[in-house]
Amino acid sequence: MKKVTFYLMIMVLSLSVLPTQVFAAEKNPTTISTTPKEVPAEVKVLLNRLDEIKAMDKSEMSRTEKKELRKEVRAIKTELKSTGNGVYLSVGAIIIIVLLLILLL
């Protein structure tokens, strides 16, 4: 009985090693062209304003002026995030997608 399990293990290991060596051939690298996307004018204006705020000397400003600048920076950042072209999925949607993949495969 020990010989049978030993031979079975050897056979399984040999079958799992052989296909990986066959597919280990070197492939030609593909070149990816990185063309920068054009930034819309509104986004450029917001980014320029953020750069201006960063370059300001805030040491001479009063507390209320600094507070207004922080509010402005937060507003600009939220506006920049909303202009992004991202796809957002909720947790429920992800769970449904995973369940469908499990059931269909």
Side-chain angles (χ1 to χ4, degrees):
M1 190 68 177
K2 289 182 181 181
K3 287 183 179 181
V4 173
T5 57
F6 176 73
Y7 290 130
L8 186 62
M9 286 177 55
I10 295 293
M11 185 177 71
V12 169
L13 287 175
S14 66
L15 289 176
S16 66
V17 172
L18 290 177
T20 58
Q21 291 176 353
V22 171
F23 295 117
E26 186 174 329
K27 295 181 180 180
N28 295 332
T30 58
T31 58
I32 299 173
S33 61
T34 56
T35 56
K37 294 182 180 181
E38 195 169 314
V39 180
E42 303 92 22
V43 175
K44 285 183 182 179
V45 170
L46 294 174
L47 290 174
N48 288 338
R49 179 62 183 148
L50 280 176
D51 290 336
E52 289 174 8
I53 292 173
K54 284 181 184 178
M56 283 183 185
D57 184 22
K58 298 174 193 115
S59 62
E60 297 175 3
M61 291 183 164
S62 68
R63 182 179 243 182
T64 57
E65 291 174 337
K66 289 180 185 178
K67 192 174 187 179
E68 289 175 9
L69 277 178
R70 281 195 301 268
K71 286 182 182 179
E72 185 179 354
V73 168
R74 286 185 197 132
I76 290 173
K77 285 186 178 181
T78 55
E79 191 171 340
L80 285 174
K81 285 181 184 178
S82 68
T83 59
N85 296 332
V87 176
Y88 300 102
L89 294 174
S90 66
V91 176
I94 293 172
I95 291 172
I96 290 173
I97 291 170
V98 169
L99 287 175
L100 285 173
L101 287 174
I102 291 171
L103 291 174
L104 296 176
L105 295 178

